[in-house]
Amino acid sequence: MSTAKLIYEGKEYEFPVVEGSEGEKGLVIGDLRAKTGLITLDPGYGNTGSCQSSICFIDGEKGILRYRGYPIEQVAERGRFTEVCYLLIYGKRPSVDELRAFREKMNRHTLLHEDMKKFYEGYPPGAHPMAIMAAMVASLSSFYPETPETLDTNIVRILAKSKTLAAFAYKKSVGQPMVYPHNSLSWPANFLRMMFAVPAEDYEVNPVLEEALNLLLILHADHEQNCSTSTMRMVGSSEANLFASISAAICGLWGPLHGGANQSVIEMLEAIIADGGDYKRFIDRVKSGESHIRLMGFGHRVYKNFDPRAKLLKQTCDRVFAKLGINDPLLELAKNIEEHALRDEYFVKRKLYPNVDFYSGIIYRAMGIPTEMFTVMFTLGRLPGWIAHWMEQRRDKESRIHRPRQIYTGETIREFEDRGTKQLPTGR
Ligand code: CMC
């Protein structure tokens, strides 16, 4: 094992360097403070590895993403979402029989407990579906307590029920009756039916949309130590149960810099159109730094060349639109923005490329999914990744509760003077 030396205040310290299976190297500093009195300071954790993991590999410089070693392009083209769930969580691609058994097991758990339906009644009209999802998933822990014996079933439960929870949240928002799952359908088709079927009317799932949703779910399934997955691991490190940890991860995903970006992209494109469609003027405003406006759906902490998911999604947009024979001015606008930004020095210099959220919303729109549901769609896709990381952490003998340190910059010690009780405002 190679080592690296640190010289501090004239003394030399040696630390081991670990190497991952793809040649990534990391300095092991577990005893840094004990040896030197120092901690590392890395706001945003851009240079901090929080764990060793064998689930997902990203090479941001080359635009590579692999799930358990399989290139995302192949998984997206040939895989089914339930197969990817199995692959990520259990670490191997299921055989046909294993996949069949897994699907059958999942199909036994798609229903929600009838008492949970009452929870939906308490939300105000216009409640954001991410708020509903986070609360509903946390609530599952009150119906299905976690024990070593129930954990495996709880994994299947959340994968199966998540689509029902999400579709019910949508039905609540439009004031329609909830549609129960139909378990002869695939995971994506079952979800689309629960979203868009209405009682007493026939509903046929459009295979183009089923296929597109399968791809979208797969492309979102894992992305190593991003904000929500790190939240999942952070909360999981306290040995919080699976549902509680997922609920926290959902909240981590919600923000516009992470999964909420897909909603923000559409809102941005709509605002540009409402403002006359002058995207070049909008890009100039972004570049000027005015009001900290960002080009939503652009940029990534890890990808500095291109995001392979965005590439696949752009192709999917074209395919879905051609097959459905529809036109969306937002797609043309997004393409113009991409073309313009990729030639603009500001974006080139900072290595800012379209990310997964840039085109995904345009496909969701074509499916009829409302903008506020977009981040819920991301949640549904990311679930297997979160679960895989949570399980990996549980099995990792070196895992400890996550507890970073800080460099304190506040007041040094001072006296909290005794004012006497007379000076205090009455009634407090
Ligand atoms: N538009 C304009 N400028 C940007 C953008 C953007 N979208 N993203 C980064 N920059 C600039 C930023 O202002 C900074 O410039 P300067 O060096 O002059 O100060 C430089 O690029 C580096 O940015 P950063 O904020 O230090 O980069 P980061 O790695 O901390 O942030 C990011 C990554 C994804 C949060 C950021 O690129 C961003 O805010 N993008 C827009 C939101 C978005 O699309 N998020 C989805 C991310 S991908 C899917 C997911 O994870 O959910």
Side-chain angles (χ1 to χ4, degrees):
M1 186 186 279
S2 59
T3 57
K5 279 185 183 154
L6 168 75
I7 300 169
Y8 175 60
E9 291 183 336
K11 278 177 95 176
E12 208 171 274
Y13 304 92
E14 205 162 338
F15 296 95
V17 172
V18 283
E19 187 168 339
S21 52
E22 288 284 350
E24 281 177 306
K25 293 190 176 72
L27 191 62
V28 183
I29 47 117
D31 56 0
L32 177 71
R33 189 167 174 275
K35 278 180 170 169
T36 66
L38 295 170
I39 62 164
T40 55
L41 183 61
D42 182 20
Y45 308 135
N47 296 288
T48 299
S50 61
C51 59
Q52 298 193 46
S53 177
S54 59
I55 300 166
C56 179
F57 172 68
I58 303 176
D59 183 330
E61 269 68 38
K62 296 191 185 130
I64 291 174
L65 168 61
R66 295 186 201 132
Y67 294 163
R68 301 272 186 198
Y70 296 108
I72 189 64
E73 294 78 6
Q74 293 177 14
V75 183
E77 192 191 325
R78 301 168 194 164
R80 309 302 308 167
F81 179 57
T82 41
E83 185 182 7
V84 173
C85 290
Y86 191 109
L87 169 72
L88 290 171
I89 295 169
Y90 302 110
K92 71 181 263 284
R93 190 175 181 190
S95 67
V96 174
D97 285 344
E98 282 167 334
L99 183 57
R100 192 173 296 122
F102 183 56
R103 281 188 177 159
E104 275 167 17
K105 202 168 158 193
M106 238 200 245
N107 283 343
R108 285 202 295 275
H109 294 283
T110 51
L111 280 173
L112 293 193
H113 193 293
E114 282 295 297
D115 289 347
M116 281 194 84
K117 272 175 62 186
K118 296 190 192 113
F119 298 173
Y120 287 89
E121 291 163 20
Y123 289 100
H128 199 286
M130 283 296 275
I132 299 179
M133 277 304 276
M136 286 292 169
V137 172
S139 304
L140 284 173
S141 51
S142 61
F143 287 83
Y144 309 105
E146 188 175 297
T147 65
E149 292 73 40
T150 58
L151 179 56
D152 202 47
T153 309
N154 280 357
I155 290 173
V156 171
R157 281 191 175 113
I158 183 63
L159 291 170
K161 291 182 199 302
S162 54
K163 59 180 172 307
T164 318
L165 288 169
F168 279 19
Y170 169 68
K171 286 297 196 192
K172 153 80 190 170
S173 75
V174 289
Q176 287 181 7
M178 288 151 179
V179 175
Y180 283 72
H182 200 309
N183 294 330
S184 64
L185 298 172
S186 72
W187 198 109
N190 205 350
F191 171 73
L192 288 169
R193 190 181 158 277
M194 284 193 279
M195 284 284 290
F196 300 119
V198 282
E201 274 182 33
D202 290 338
Y203 179 82
E204 280 282 318
V205 179
N206 185 331
V208 176
L209 300 187
E210 180 184 353
E211 204 52 50
L213 182 54
N214 179 62
L215 180 112
L216 276 154
L217 292 165
I218 290 176
L219 292 184
H220 286 87
D222 193 40
H223 216 234
E224 48 121 303
Q225 310 308 320
N226 54 81
C227 174
S228 56
T229 304
S230 297
T231 304
M232 182 84 189
R233 280 182 175 263
M234 172 71 84
V235 176
S237 79
S238 74
E239 298 187 1
N241 71 62
L242 180 73
F243 300 127
S245 305
I246 294 175
S247 175
I250 291 174
C251 295
L253 185 74
W254 193 353
L257 298 188
H258 190 13
N262 55 15
Q263 174 172 343
S264 305
V265 168
I266 296 298
E267 287 166 354
M268 174 187 78
L269 297 174
E270 284 173 342
I272 295 172
I273 288 183
D275 204 26
D278 188 350
Y279 62 87
K280 291 181 188 156
R281 187 155 57 95
F282 179 80
I283 291 178
D284 285 342
R285 284 176 62 207
V286 169
K287 284 164 33 181
S288 72
E290 170 205 326
S291 320
H292 303 290
I293 308 173
R294 290 201 158 186
L295 183 55
M296 300 310 286
F298 257 70
H300 200 276
R301 173 66 59 79
V302 182
Y303 292 121
K304 299 298 171 198
N305 184 330
F306 67 93
D307 180 336
R309 304 167 301 172
K311 222 172 165 179
L312 291 164
L313 282 172
K314 190 178 175 187
Q315 293 162 5
T316 309
C317 263
D318 287 332
R319 209 172 45 241
V320 169
F321 278 64
K323 281 190 181 167
L324 296 179
I326 55 171
N327 223 328
D328 185 344
L330 261 53
L331 177 59
E332 204 190 317
L333 176 61
K335 283 183 176 174
N336 286 338
I337 290 176
E338 179 186 352
E339 205 186 310
H340 188 80
L342 292 184
R343 279 190 275 114
D344 189 299
E345 206 212 321
Y346 175 97
F347 295 90
V348 173
K349 204 173 113 198
R350 290 170 180 75
K351 301 186 172 161
L352 302 171
Y353 296 86
N355 58 50
V356 70
D357 295 311
F358 195 63
Y359 285 105
S360 59
I362 295 173
I363 310 180
Y364 293 139
R365 258 167 74 93
M367 289 177 175
I369 293 169
T371 314
E372 285 215 326
M373 280 289 288
F374 290 0
T375 315
V376 171
M377 302 307 294
F378 196 148
T379 301
L380 297 177
R382 185 53 55 87
L383 267 173
W386 288 337
I387 297 168
H389 282 273
W390 190 91
M391 289 297 291
E392 185 178 67
Q393 181 180 43
R394 282 242 159 150
R395 292 192 195 110
D396 182 355
K397 292 199 172 52
E398 285 179 15
S399 173
R400 297 198 292 165
I401 187 163
H402 287 200
R403 204 311 184 180
R405 287 187 177 261
Q406 62 166 20
I407 300 290
Y408 175 68
T409 58
E411 297 285 347
T412 53
I413 190 163
R414 50 182 169 163
E415 183 82 14
F416 192 74
E417 283 168 20
D418 185 358
R419 289 175 173 162
T421 48
K422 283 193 194 120
Q423 286 182 48
L424 290 176
T426 51
R428 298 218 181 152

